[in-house]
Amino acid sequence: MSPKMTRLIDVAKLAKVSTATVSRVINNNGYVSAKVRERVMKAIEELGYQPAKAARFLAKSGQNFDIGVVADDWVLKSITTVIDEFYSIVYKGIIDFSKNHRMNIHLLDVNSWDENADGFLLIGGGITKELVREVKKTKKPLVLVDQYLPGLKVDYVVSDGYDGAVFAVDKLISKGMKRIVHIHGPLSHFGFRDRYDGYMATMEMHGFMPKSYEFDEINDNMSTIVDMMLRSYGKPDAIFGSNDTAAIRAMEELKSRGFRIPEDISVIGFDDIMSASLVSPKLTTLKIFKYDLGSIAARRLFNLLMGEEKHPVKISLFTQYIERESTI
């Protein structure tokens, strides 16, 4: 009988014992007499039985994986102090998966990560190629979350910002809007770059002139951006923000200057954080499935730790358009 066809019950039948006894022998857990153990081992050898790696691991009492969740200060602060926003929800997805798979999670700063962890989840735009190369030197499994760095051939779990941006801009254009401005975060972050590329491609495809400004979320330069836009570009038909924070801040600055949202200017965000449905008017946005980003990344890392499906993959989650009150 080939190893692929052999089951635990086949070993039990040949050895004339219960499946529970076979499990105890395989996992060295619980009492089994020397005579019975020898009989089970002989049956395993004869049948070529190979227990699943995951089953062996999970059956071993007290054996856990230590997982380093590595991020920059801004993301770590978001995880630990902000409830129901972007990275805190990603982190919850990681934690919930880990609880059922004996993975101990340790938050680590990009400047002081611990190479002794069994595997790594590297989160956010603060993850650099240099850091990934250093982590790869440990020869431990790693997965990047919400960041993509071409050419490194490692595992990634990201949202499909390009597709979301194309959908959002097409939606605005279908309503007769041509002057659509994009306000984005740092383009070194894959997510912002992906959305920027989708915006640029869609505007150019329709023959419209793209116009973009970079928003510094930490230092909040939105007032300067809006003044610059109105002075040099004029009033846009719509603003597409690369995240909800940028879109909400743009709405605040526009309203303070007497513009009505959406009657004068439509606004679309990206992420669907809790604040998007609490502002007035409620923000139209592209929903990222943040919890799934975390749980899928943790599952992918677990598979790598189990020695399964080792070839690197890029997993991209589509977004969902959520229409609210900030667009006509």
Side-chain angles (χ1 to χ4, degrees), residues 1-234:
M1 185 178 292
S2 71
K4 289 185 178 180
M5 295 175 62
T6 305
R7 300 168 299 165
L8 189 77
I9 193 171
D10 298 319
V11 176
K13 286 180 178 178
L14 183 60
K16 298 180 180 179
V17 297
S18 67
T19 54
T21 298
V22 175
S23 180
R24 285 197 293 271
V25 171
I26 291 171
N27 298 297
N28 196 26
N29 183 20
Y31 173 77
V32 180
S33 70
K35 185 176 180 180
V36 170
R37 183 180 298 276
E38 183 180 353
R39 202 160 71 231
V40 171
M41 293 304 295
K42 185 178 179 181
I44 288 173
E45 183 178 356
E46 183 175 331
L47 294 173
Y49 178 62
Q50 297 177 355
K53 291 180 181 179
R56 284 205 305 265
F57 165 72
L58 291 173
K60 290 180 182 177
S61 176
Q63 184 174 346
N64 296 329
F65 286 130
D66 286 322
I67 305 302
V69 172
V70 183
D72 63 16
D73 289 341
W74 190 84
V75 172
L76 290 176
K77 184 177 180 181
S78 299
I79 287 173
T80 56
T81 63
V82 182
I83 299 174
D84 288 333
E85 293 295 324
F86 192 94
Y87 286 112
S88 60
I89 298 176
V90 173
Y91 186 63
K92 188 176 189 309
I94 293 169
I95 289 295
D96 286 353
F97 179 87
S98 301
K99 285 177 181 175
N100 297 320
H101 293 81
R102 297 190 182 180
M103 299 165 73
N104 297 328
I105 302 300
H106 306 277
L107 288 174
L108 305 173
D109 186 86
V110 290
N111 298 313
S112 57
W113 56 280
D114 182 3
E115 66 179 20
N116 294 315
D118 297 306
F120 299 91
L121 293 170
L122 282 56
I123 302 182
I127 302 303
T128 63
K129 283 191 174 183
E130 292 72 25
L131 175 62
V132 175
R133 291 189 182 106
E134 286 299 311
V135 176
K136 283 184 73 175
K137 288 178 183 177
T138 68
K139 301 191 181 302
K140 308 285 184 61
L142 67 110
V143 178
L144 270 68
V145 189
D146 194 42
Q147 174 67 314
Y148 172 66
L149 299 168
L152 294 177
K153 298 294 189 293
V154 296
D155 287 83
Y156 301 91
V157 179
V158 295
S159 61
D160 195 327
Y162 188 98
D163 181 86
V166 169
F167 189 95
V169 177
D170 271 340
K171 193 80 170 177
L172 293 170
I173 291 172
S174 72
K175 295 180 179 182
M177 302 180 200
K178 301 177 181 178
R179 293 170 55 81
I180 303 168
V181 168
H182 183 44
I183 300 179
H184 59 80
L187 297 181
S188 58
H189 185 312
F190 163 73
F192 293 142
R193 168 62 70 175
D194 206 28
R195 298 162 207 176
Y196 172 86
D197 289 345
Y199 160 80
M200 295 292 288
T202 308
M203 290 292 284
E204 291 170 0
M205 181 182 68
H206 287 278
F208 301 144
M209 181 68 69
K211 183 66 175 177
S212 64
Y213 300 89
E214 182 166 320
F215 173 52
D216 181 348
E217 187 170 338
I218 296 175
N219 297 307
D220 194 355
N221 62 335
M222 187 58 73
S223 179
T224 302
I225 287 174
V226 171
D227 284 341
M228 186 186 307
M229 176 186 68
L230 294 174
R231 183 173 61 252
S232 63
Y233 178 81

